[in-house]
Amino acid sequence: MRMAIDQARAAGAGGDIPIGAVVVDSGGEVIATGSNSREIDCDPTAHAEILALRAAGKHLDGWRLTDCTIYVTLEPCPMCAGAITMSRISRLVFGAWNDEYGAAGSRWDLVRDQRLNHQVEVIPAIMESDCSALVRDFLAEKRK
């Protein structure tokens, strides 16, 4: 999660909402990272999770990320939760809850929806105060 926080800080420094993601393989090796870059890339899909999933797929030379874990500083939105589920990620670990757009247990629970053909194990609230402070402080500064 500390690496994901570093990725989030990089996104914040670039003017984007500070969210970071890291994908590790079954052996615990980091295979991909991502940080929000919607503003820089002018891309509404450039969320940290999406970028990390794309990089992980390239690293593994395939789209199935079975036995991988994704660490994210903020509970994923519906778009990212859908991508995590469709990539066959085994485990999602996130820091702060996303009461507005969260789709891994707070607002919705897309990643564990039994109607889908894959469910993701969810481990929430890891380093929650550190992760929530990133977004809270960033938004407070933007509102000044």
Side-chain angles (χ1 to χ4, degrees):
M1 187 59 77
R2 291 189 198 289
M3 289 182 74
I5 289 171
D6 289 342
Q7 290 294 311
R9 286 188 180 123
D16 227 307
I17 295 177
I19 300 171
V22 174
V23 178
V24 300
D25 66 14
S26 60
E29 178 186 345
V30 173
I31 60 171
T33 62
S35 58
N36 270 12
S37 64
R38 294 181 310 166
E39 300 297 334
I40 292 169
D41 294 343
C42 300
D43 180 353
T45 68
H47 289 206
E49 301 94 323
I50 300 296
L51 300 174
L53 292 171
R54 287 177 184 162
K58 286 183 182 177
H59 177 85
L60 295 175
D61 198 29
W63 64 268
R64 288 178 186 87
L65 305 180
T66 308
D67 297 325
C68 290
T69 299
I70 188 166
Y71 293 82
V72 187
T73 56
L74 185 69
E75 178 187 8
C77 71
M79 175 181 70
C80 294
I84 288 167
T85 302
M86 293 296 109
S87 72
R88 309 299 196 269
I89 284 271
S90 296
R91 184 176 302 107
L92 162 64
V93 179
F94 68 83
W97 291 96
N98 183 348
D99 294 331
E100 190 173 4
Y101 297 111
S106 63
R107 194 110 166 117
W108 302 280
D109 201 353
L110 186 60
V111 296
R112 293 181 284 201
D113 191 318
Q114 295 296 311
R115 294 170 292 184
L116 299 174
N117 68 345
H118 178 74
Q119 289 78 44
V120 179
E121 177 187 358
V122 177
I123 302 171
I126 302 301
M127 299 183 70
E128 182 175 16
S129 61
D130 294 334
C131 293
S132 63
L134 288 168
V135 175
R136 184 183 61 245
D137 295 348
F138 177 84
L139 293 176
E141 186 63 33
K142 284 284 191 191
R143 289 181 183 123
K144 283 185 181 178

